[in-house]
Amino acid sequence: MAALWQRLLHVLGWREDATSHAEKLISALGAFCALGAVWVVTHWVMPAEAALWVVASTGASAVLLFAVPHGPLSQPWAVLGGQLISALVGISCQQLLPDHPLTPALAVALAILAMHYARCIHPPGGATALTCVVAGPGIHALGYQFLFTPVLLNVGVILLVAVLFNSLFPWRRYPAALARQPLRPTPPPGLAPEDIHHALRQLDSYIDIRFDDLLEIMQLAHQHAEQQRLGSTDILPGACYSNGQPGARWSIRQVTGLPPRQPGRSARVVYRVLAGAEAGSHGSCRVAELAAWAQFAVRPSEHGWQRCSPAESQQAG
């Protein structure tokens, strides 16, 4: 039953969130400040009924600007271009095909296409294009004036608040180009930036992460792995170790014995392969060789193998 539940969560896309409680609260506070400013400005220049539609669209932008301020979908060009281009497409569709049953769908579809080619994918833009068609006579009467008041006006307000608010917290950055990065992140040994770029192109899908951010994540992960590398003293009887290799090269070994060290010879270890390549086989090697082969200690769990300390792995075994 637990496995079925975990499978369902995986299919639904539910996953663990590494952000702190403080970060979540800051995101909510930023959105509150931004939407408050947008609400005031919108009601200042527009009737209340029309303003409700605009705030609904801008609220979706606030989620991106303050929950993921570093993401490509949240950057100024994505917000500005995505909102204005989508509004332009929506207004044009309404002007050319007023009250047609397929006009709303056409407006959103063409807005997505335009944002793709203009490199300003911004999901709330789809809501803006739809608003231009279905919001009613109050929005229709504005025509192309809707581009400037309220869309451009509201985009300007929310971008200004995003820059000012996120600048109060050193670990947040907006726009992402203002982040202080003295050195360009480099990928781990054996990988070049061109390799990562090639892999991204093979996916042939829009990935909501900047290329430099991806390099930085990989570099930080590699540094953490290097700091956690095992030594000969970390090889314990009964503990399990993974070589951390991808695909068919992955393997799990369990230490079954540490024979007494003979004078003049290197310490040796006896192991069996529990999973992965050569599963079920046995072998022996020098302790130093196993420490060099192993990337980290692991212990079995209901979801597979979980990384842990050598002592925890020894106790689990």
Side-chain angles (χ1 to χ4, degrees):
M1 185 64 182
L4 179 61
W5 176 248
Q6 290 297 326
R7 177 62 179 171
L8 176 61
L9 293 178
H10 177 73
V11 172
L12 293 176
W14 185 92
R15 61 191 65 191
E16 293 184 1
D17 186 356
T19 56
S20 64
H21 295 299
E23 180 68 11
K24 293 179 176 68
L25 291 174
I26 289 171
S27 299
L29 179 60
F32 175 81
C33 295
L35 266 296
V38 168
W39 181 270
V40 171
V41 173
T42 302
H43 280 73
W44 180 43
V45 298
M46 292 192 66
E49 180 181 355
L52 289 174
W53 286 97
V54 176
V55 171
S57 173
T58 312
S61 295
V63 175
L64 293 172
L65 288 170
F66 297 97
V68 282
H70 59 281
L73 302 181
S74 310
Q75 298 312 298
W77 170 238
V79 180
L80 180 63
Q83 287 282 16
L84 291 180
I85 289 175
S86 297
L88 178 62
V89 170
I91 295 169
S92 299
C93 288
Q94 175 60 26
Q95 297 268 353
L96 296 173
L97 296 170
D99 302 323
H100 193 283
L102 294 181
T103 301
L106 180 64
V108 176
L110 292 180
I112 293 173
L113 184 64
M115 286 189 288
H116 257 301
Y117 281 105
R119 300 184 182 181
C120 58
I121 293 290
H122 188 62
T128 300
L130 189 62
T131 296
C132 295
V133 178
V134 303
I139 295 296
H140 297 165
L142 292 174
Y144 289 100
Q145 180 62 32
F146 184 73
L147 285 171
F148 305 100
T149 52
V151 175
L152 180 58
L153 181 62
N154 286 313
V155 167
V157 171
I158 198 172
L159 286 175
L160 178 61
V161 175
V163 172
L164 296 177
F165 181 85
N166 288 312
S167 68
L168 298 176
F169 308 95
W171 64 91
R172 296 173 71 93
R173 48 189 179 169
Y174 192 82
L178 296 181
R180 295 181 179 179
Q181 295 180 349
L183 295 175
R184 178 183 174 89
T186 57
L191 285 177
E194 291 78 10
D195 297 321
I196 300 173
H197 182 70
H198 173 75
L200 292 174
R201 291 188 65 85
Q202 291 296 108
L203 292 175
D204 195 23
S205 181
Y206 190 91
I207 307 298
D208 188 19
I209 185 171
R210 293 196 316 146
F211 182 69
D212 285 352
D213 286 338
L214 182 59
L215 291 182
E216 185 176 3
I217 291 171
M218 295 184 66
Q219 181 176 331
L220 292 173
H222 178 71
Q223 291 174 354
H224 180 266
E226 287 296 317
Q227 294 171 356
Q228 301 296 316
R229 287 195 67 86
L230 302 174
S232 296
T233 57
D234 296 313
I235 303 302
L236 304 176
C240 301
Y241 301 89
S242 170
N243 63 353
Q245 296 297 312
R249 293 180 294 172
W250 173 74
S251 182
I252 299 289
R253 295 178 181 178
Q254 182 183 34
V255 176
T256 57
L258 285 171
R261 181 175 179 178
Q262 300 180 8
R265 292 190 176 184
S266 301
R268 298 188 65 82
V269 61
V270 179
Y271 64 85
R272 62 173 176 171
V273 182
L274 298 182
E278 302 180 354
S281 64
H282 295 74
S284 67
C285 62
R286 291 184 300 169
V287 172
E289 290 176 342
L290 182 61
W293 173 88
Q295 289 294 316
F296 42 81
V298 294
R299 63 182 177 185
S301 70
E302 59 179 344
H303 306 303
W305 293 91
Q306 179 181 352
R307 186 170 182 166
C308 65
S309 69
E312 292 174 329
S313 178
Q314 185 184 39
Q315 294 172 1

